[in-house]
Amino acid sequence: MDAPTSATKTCPRLTPSLLAAQVEVESNWNPRAESPAGAQGLAQFMPATWATWGRDGDRDGAADVMNPLDAIAAQGALMCDLLDRALVATRAAHFHR
């Protein structure tokens, strides 16, 4: 199973193609990418965001922002959480109309 598929298997709202497209835009699939603002790795995590969302996607015992499997697993978890929050907010907005 490829990394985007694996990272999205527990989140039906997030598709592998959406996650892959985001990585394409963020880093052009360069696992060593670094932005002038300090974002790092394939998924361009800022250090504080990585501290919260970093994952050990390859199960080697370390969550490494420069490791593609770790970064994609973390991005999948973060994006799923954001999609869940957006869904809750949308439902709440419709409820209060």
Side-chain angles (χ1 to χ4, degrees), residues 33-41 44 46:
E34 293 192 43
S35 79
Q40 300 174 318
Q44 290 293 281
M46 293 297 286

Side-chain angles (χ1 to χ4, degrees), residues 15-26:
T15 64
S17 59
L18 177 60
L19 192 62
Q22 191 171 13
V23 170
E24 177 76 23
V25 170
E26 292 288 350

Side-chain angles (χ1 to χ4, degrees), residues 56-81:
D56 180 12
D58 63 0
R59 298 187 178 132
D60 68 353
D64 178 2
V65 72
M66 297 297 188
N67 178 311
L69 296 176
D70 294 355
I72 290 171
Q75 183 143 0
L78 172 58
M79 292 307 299
C80 190
D81 182 71

